[in-house]
Amino acid sequence: MATINTSGFSERIIIDEKAIQNRIRELVEEIALDFKGKEIVVVGILKGSYIFLADLSRLMYKFNLNPQVDFTILSSYGSSTAPVTKVKIDRDISINVEGKAVLIVDDILDTGRTMQYVKARMRWLEPEFAKTCVFLDKPSRRQVEIKPDYVGFTVEDNFYVGYGLDYNGFYRERPYVAVLESNTDQKIIK
């Protein structure tokens, strides 16, 4: 696929817009089977999930799902690309999820620490059930035992940008997913 040069880095596109939109439709069909007739709260983990969550939730009405949407902000990456071992809540959800069906949405499942933390936190809030949906799953990097309920794409151990995924706050707006590669001696930590 195409390579785009941007300030010392190249983007090698691996998932284009059409493939993303097709997969999102398939995911919503799967989700609709499990959440049919339920009072749903979709919880996005910011910042990376916002594009994926928006596309998922826009299709839900076509499957007679009427979710409430909320967000949490967690710190785990900072300004680097290497995950840290602790997760901190910067903003908690504001919707009461007790007795409701919860769908936790994130951009990427890497080490699993963030999602493990959110799932544990969600159990404490006593929903009817909580399922997880990730846009990208990178199982080769898993440090904790966790498997997402819904996966957009399973990917190799590279550093990805686009469709909500970033490098130091940039590249989120890309409508595709690309592997970010250095054109210089700069290191990209996976």
Side-chain angles (χ1 to χ4, degrees), residues 80-148:
S80 174
T81 59
V84 295
T85 57
K86 291 192 177 190
V87 177
K88 177 183 99 160
I89 297 176
D90 294 327
R91 181 203 183 272
D92 206 351
I93 61 172
S94 58
I95 295 174
N96 179 0
V97 299
E98 185 176 346
K100 298 176 183 176
V102 174
L103 181 66
I104 304 164
V105 177
D106 204 2
D107 58 351
I108 190 165
L109 185 59
D110 192 335
T111 66
R113 292 186 185 283
T114 299
M115 189 61 78
Q116 181 184 53
Y117 180 86
V118 173
K119 281 190 76 170
R121 170 93 175 112
M122 208 51 64
R123 281 191 294 273
W124 185 76
L125 298 174
E126 300 179 352
E128 177 182 350
F129 63 84
K131 293 193 177 245
T132 57
C133 181
V134 296
F135 178 59
L136 299 181
D137 184 20
K138 197 189 302 185
S140 63
R141 302 258 304 159
R142 205 77 83 241
Q143 294 177 0
V144 297
E145 193 171 321
I146 189 166
K147 185 177 178 193

Side-chain angles (χ1 to χ4, degrees), residues 9 18 33 37 40 56 61 63-64 73 79 81 90 97 105 161 179 186 189:
F9 295 102
K18 185 174 181 172
L33 292 174
I40 306 166
L56 279 174
Y61 83 96
F63 295 89
N64 296 317
I73 300 175
S79 63
T81 59
D90 294 327
V97 299
V105 177
V161 294
V179 173
Q186 296 179 45
I189 302 168

Side-chain angles (χ1 to χ4, degrees), residues 9-45:
F9 295 102
S10 292
E11 300 170 49
R12 183 171 39 89
I13 298 172
I14 62 158
I15 308 171
D16 65 23
E17 294 175 68
K18 185 174 181 172
I20 291 170
Q21 294 312 310
N22 288 339
R23 183 62 186 131
I24 288 174
R25 181 163 186 85
E26 293 169 355
L27 284 172
V28 174
E29 289 174 5
E30 293 173 36
I31 290 165
L33 292 174
D34 292 338
F35 285 77
K36 184 179 181 180
K38 302 289 184 186
E39 190 174 354
I40 306 166
V41 177
V42 177
V43 176
I45 301 173

